[in-house]
Every structure is written in C-alpha cells, then in structure tokens.
C-alpha cells in the first residue's frame, strides 16, 4: 500500500483588502446576523436571502460597459463572510456548512466517566413519546438539509421524524419508508407525509415521484401526502428576487406552463415563519386531546424518575467508592 505525504501546492489567489465596498457589505451582513441571532447558526444560503433587503445599495452594484448592475450577491457574500471570520469580525460558528459531515469520536476516558455521563442523562433525558394514541403516523419530509436544525426541534415536540429528502429519493429510501408505513398500518395508523420543498420544477415534482414509486412499483396504498410548503399562499412572505427557473431542468417546460416562470426556495422563508408552518401542519393532523394526555402522563412519570434517579446515583457512587 502506498500512502503519499502531500506538500503544499499553492494556486494563485488575489489578495483580500477591506475596501470601503467590502466594509459596507460586511455591515449589511452584520445587520442580518444581529436580526437573526436567535436562529444561528445559519447557512450561507439562508443569510443570502435575508441579505436581499440591502442589495439595492450602491456597494452591491457594479459598473459594466457603462451600465449599472447588481453583482453576484451570493458569490460576494461568500467572500466577505470568509474574511469576516478569518479576521475575527464574527465567530466561525455563526455559519454552518451542512454538506460537510463530522462523525462523533467514540470512547470514554474510563468506566467511571462513562457511568457519570449516563447518570447525568437521567436528570434530563426522559420525554414521553407524544405519538402514542395518535391515529396517524406523521413524517415531516424536507427538501433542504440546511433547514433540519430549524425543523427538527418543532417535530420533536410531537415525537415525529424529520426526513431530509434532498433530490429524488433512492429505492433504498423508499423501501425504508415502506417498512415504517406498513408497521404503522399494523397499529391502525394512517401513514401521513407532510412535505416541505422548493417551489420549482424539481421541488414540485419530487413528492409526486415518491408517491408514484410507492403505489405503482412497491404496491403500497393508503398513504396520505400533503404539500405544506412552499405553496403560492406563502410567496408574499418571502423576500424579493425569486429564483429563475433552471433551463437545464427537464421538468421546466411543464412547470412554466402550469405555474409561470418564477421559482422560490424554501430557504427564503423567515425561520420563525417556517417553524410556525411546520408546527401548524403537524397540529392539523394531531389529536391534541391524546397529546395533552401524554403530556400530563409525562409530568407524573418525571416526578417518579426524580426519586429513582437519586437511588441509582447513590448506588453507583457507593459501588465506585468501595470498588
């Protein structure tokens, strides 16, 4: 086996300078980060859509052949954000990169540290499954991995799964859902999909492709599918400068015929509006009476666990002290 140790090979890069233009752009970015600080970290795409409030300003324009036009805001944003972090103007962790996955390092210092960590979980780790006694098996499907951090806490309130459906789902994905759906039907529940995706040729078609595979090719019927967003009624809540239709998408012709030439991305929705939309959509298909019963039971069980936890901790400490 040959493993090569690499030496740095530099490519040509232009030097970064904090010009008046770049400084003015950074001020606009700081305004966005301050306004949305409770939703941090955000992706560059999310910041981009909120930044569009400010891009009519001169420092987001450029002169070309005697004409004034807007710069590529997304590209400019990426460059300014990079140097804002390198130069310490903002913390590195305010921007998240959802495409780079880091696995967790396994292992504990020793057995005592392992027990200590597990005992800490007993203080706050219990929550009752709120999906019990419900007539529907609800899953929240979202097109954008970047929005998982916003959507998951809302779905967790109701003990519902969030599935990131980036692109068209593979047959592996479909058969995994098939198994969950069949299991739910066995409990007398109706599998119910709440879908949130872009309003564009692919985003509009993806859920229908999944429905067709499930019914025609896997032979499973009895599933309810709902497109909860983006839908036309949400467009007036989204920032200006919607996305142009991609000519490379073979579904564009049909989409334009049915819906026009404008597309919108789910990322453009205000984070709080998206969370509210997800919560309202789940509640629409949730028996809130059964939900409240589970909540009341959770409170009683939590009180009981406090006493049990004390006994377990005392037992563990005694064992370690006399071990």
């Amino acid at each position: 086996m040959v493993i090569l140790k690499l030496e740095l090979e530099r490519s040509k890069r232009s030097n970064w300078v904090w010009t008046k233009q770049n400084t003015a752009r950074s001020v606009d970015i700081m305004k966005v980060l301050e306004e949305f600080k409770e939703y941090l970290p955000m992706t560059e795409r999310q910041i981009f859509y909120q930044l569009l409030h400010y891009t009519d300003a001169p420092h987001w324009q450029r002169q070309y052949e005697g004409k004034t036009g807007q710069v590529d805001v997304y590209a400019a944003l990426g460059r300014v954000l990079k140097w804002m972090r390198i130069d310490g103007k903002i913390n590195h962790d305010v921007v998240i990169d959802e495409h780079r996955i880091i696995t967790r390092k396994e292992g504990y210092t020793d057995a005592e540290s392992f027990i200590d960590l597990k005992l800490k979980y007993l203080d706050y780790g219990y929550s009752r499954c709120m999906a019990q006694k419900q007539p529907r098996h609800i899953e929240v499907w979202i097109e954008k991995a970047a929005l998982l951090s916003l959507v998951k806490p809302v779905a967790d309130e109701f003990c519902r799964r969030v599935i990131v459906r980036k692109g068209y789902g593979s047959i592996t994905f479909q058969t995994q859902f098939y198994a969950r759906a069949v299991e739910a039907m066995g409990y007398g529940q109706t599998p119910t999909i709440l879908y949130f995706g872009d309003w564009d040729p692919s985003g509009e078609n993806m859920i229908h492709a999944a429905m067709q595979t499930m019914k025609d090719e896997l032979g499973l019927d009895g599933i309810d599918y709902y497109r909860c967003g983006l839908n036309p009624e949400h467009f007036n809540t989204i920032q200006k400068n919607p996305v142009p239709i991609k000519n490379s998408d073979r579904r564009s012709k049909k989409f334009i015929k049915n819906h026009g030439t404008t597309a919108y991305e789910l990322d453009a929705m205000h984070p709080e509006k998206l969370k509210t939309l997800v919560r309202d959509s789940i509640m629409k298909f949730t028996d809130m009476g059964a939900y409240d019963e589970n909540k009341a039971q959770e409170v009683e069980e939590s009180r009981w666990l406090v006493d049990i936890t004390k006994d377990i901790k005392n037992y563990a400490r005694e064992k370690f002290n006399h071990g």
Side-chain angles (χ1 to χ4, degrees):
M1 181 174 65
V2 178
I3 300 177
L4 300 178
K5 182 179 181 181
L6 299 178
E7 300 293 338
L8 174 61
E9 293 183 4
R10 286 187 171 85
S11 58
K12 186 176 181 180
R13 294 184 180 182
S14 57
N15 293 327
W16 176 261
V17 179
W18 281 108
T19 61
K20 288 184 178 180
Q21 183 184 65
N22 286 330
T23 300
R25 290 173 179 176
S26 72
V27 170
D28 290 343
I29 294 170
M30 286 296 295
K31 290 176 183 176
V32 171
L33 296 178
E34 177 62 26
E35 181 181 355
F36 291 87
K37 60 184 178 183
E38 64 181 292
Y39 305 106
L40 297 176
M42 297 171 70
T43 66
E44 285 190 10
R45 198 70 179 169
Q46 289 175 291
I47 297 171
F48 162 73
Y49 278 112
Q50 305 310 323
L51 188 64
L52 293 177
H53 284 287
Y54 303 98
T55 52
D56 287 335
H59 49 270
W60 292 104
Q61 309 298 313
R62 66 184 177 95
Q63 295 290 328
Y64 182 73
E65 294 183 350
K67 298 180 180 179
T68 299
Q70 194 172 75
V71 300
D72 183 338
V73 176
Y74 191 66
L77 167 66
R79 290 191 295 271
V80 178
L81 269 177
K82 171 185 174 179
W83 285 98
M84 287 177 74
R85 284 174 282 177
I86 290 175
D87 288 346
K89 295 180 181 293
I90 58 174
N91 292 331
H92 283 268
D93 58 4
V94 302
V95 183
I96 189 172
D97 184 348
E98 79 281 7
H99 298 298
R100 275 67 179 180
I101 299 173
I102 302 174
T103 62
R104 189 170 69 91
K105 184 172 71 70
E106 300 293 341
Y108 300 88
T109 304
D110 51 37
E112 188 170 354
S113 65
F114 169 77
I115 293 295
D116 185 57
L117 180 64
K118 296 303 179 182
L119 290 176
K120 287 179 181 178
Y121 283 135
L122 290 175
D123 290 329
Y124 57 84
Y126 176 71
S127 59
R128 186 175 176 84
C129 178
M130 297 298 147
Q132 296 181 82
K133 305 177 184 178
Q134 291 292 334
R136 291 179 178 270
H137 168 87
I138 297 172
E139 294 192 6
V140 177
W141 289 8
I142 59 173
E143 186 182 343
K144 299 297 183 71
L147 301 177
L148 181 61
S149 61
L150 282 175
V151 174
K152 185 180 182 300
V154 177
D156 285 346
E157 296 173 18
F158 302 89
C159 198
R160 298 302 189 178
R161 287 185 180 89
V162 180
I163 290 87
V164 177
R165 270 193 62 98
K166 186 176 181 180
Y168 285 81
S170 66
I171 193 62
T172 300
F173 172 89
Q174 301 281 43
T175 52
Q176 287 172 343
F177 170 65
Y178 179 100
R180 296 194 300 272
V182 169
E183 182 181 16
M185 289 175 173
Y187 292 121
Q189 295 177 309
T190 302
T192 304
I193 302 304
L194 307 182
Y195 178 74
F196 300 81
D198 293 343
W199 184 264
D200 62 14
S202 291
E204 192 269 343
N205 177 257
M206 285 175 189
I207 188 64
H208 293 286
M211 294 167 66
Q212 184 175 348
T213 299
M214 196 58 56
K215 185 171 184 177
D216 295 352
E217 296 166 12
L218 296 181
L220 185 62
D221 208 345
I223 303 169
D224 289 345
Y225 300 86
Y226 296 91
R227 183 183 177 93
C228 303
L230 286 172
N231 293 326
E233 62 264 27
H234 305 131
F235 296 167
N236 63 353
T237 68
I238 296 175
Q239 184 48 255
K240 63 177 183 177
N241 293 343
V243 183
I245 300 292
K246 297 177 182 177
N247 293 326
S248 58
D249 193 329
R250 61 185 176 84
R251 303 166 189 85
S252 295
K253 187 175 180 180
K254 180 180 178 181
F255 181 87
I256 291 172
K257 180 181 178 181
N258 293 334
H259 305 295
T261 58
T262 301
Y264 295 83
E265 290 191 349
L266 191 62
D267 315 59
M269 181 173 276
H270 189 288
E272 197 59 42
K273 286 186 171 64
L274 177 59
K275 290 169 64 176
T276 299
L277 178 62
V278 173
R279 182 177 289 106
D280 289 348
S281 299
I282 295 175
M283 290 180 66
K284 183 178 178 65
F285 298 99
T286 296
D287 180 340
M288 294 307 295
Y291 177 89
D292 291 339
E293 287 180 17
N294 278 318
K295 268 296 183 186
Q297 187 68 29
E298 181 183 74
V299 172
E300 292 184 17
E301 291 171 341
S302 295
R303 293 196 189 105
W304 174 77
L305 278 172
V306 169
D307 294 332
I308 296 296
T309 298
K310 289 178 181 177
D311 293 340
I312 294 173
K313 286 183 175 181
N314 289 335
Y315 175 80
R317 291 192 185 101
E318 183 179 344
K319 281 291 183 181
F320 274 112
N321 290 336
H322 294 87

